[in-house]
Amino acid sequence: MPTATTEELLAEIQELIREREREGVLGVAERIDPAEWARLVPRLDAAEVAVLLQWLPDHEVPQLLEELSPPEAAAILRTLSQAEAATLLAGMDPDDAADVVEELSEPEA
């Protein structure tokens, strides 16, 4: 089976989110790795990212954030509650989490 391109995956994920197909998104999540998510997530809009974070298995979200650049990961954390952000940071590799926290302002951190 040929591997889908990033463009094809992006279109598929956006359609699944639009159609509220959580199982479809989970199916995609089983096929791709965190590095691929890191190529996709910055191209989604904020509402799509919010849905994705709710739907992905809890253990996968910290891995996804580790693959993003620290500014991209920090931007996502800003959209979450403090408790949610803290949980995700705790699940990340400590060095990656520290890099992301450095991107946050003093009150956010």
Side-chain angles (χ1 to χ4, degrees):
M1 180 171 108
T3 310
T5 66
T6 299
E7 292 299 322
E8 291 167 338
L9 283 170
L10 181 65
E12 181 180 358
I13 289 166
Q14 288 174 317
E15 179 161 348
L16 289 167
I17 290 171
R18 234 184 344 269
E19 301 291 328
R20 295 288 183 224
E21 293 286 342
R22 182 173 191 229
E23 292 304 315
V25 170
L26 292 174
V28 171
E30 290 176 7
R31 298 193 329 250
I32 65 175
D33 61 20
E36 184 68 44
W37 278 120
R39 287 189 286 278
L40 295 168
V41 168
R43 299 177 63 191
L44 298 172
D45 67 35
E48 291 167 335
V49 172
V51 170
L52 194 62
L53 292 179
Q54 288 177 356
W55 288 358
L56 286 177
D58 291 343
H59 68 278
E60 288 186 21
V61 177
Q63 294 171 355
L64 183 158
L65 291 175
E66 288 174 8
E67 293 293 331
L68 294 173
S69 72
E72 290 168 338
I76 289 172
L77 290 179
R78 284 187 190 99
T79 68
L80 304 173
S81 72
Q82 279 189 314
E84 291 169 321
T87 299
L88 291 178
L89 283 168
M92 292 175 67
D93 175 89
D95 290 339
D96 291 326
D99 291 342
V100 173
V101 171
E102 285 179 10
E103 293 295 323
L104 300 172
S105 68
E106 192 78 30
E108 290 170 329

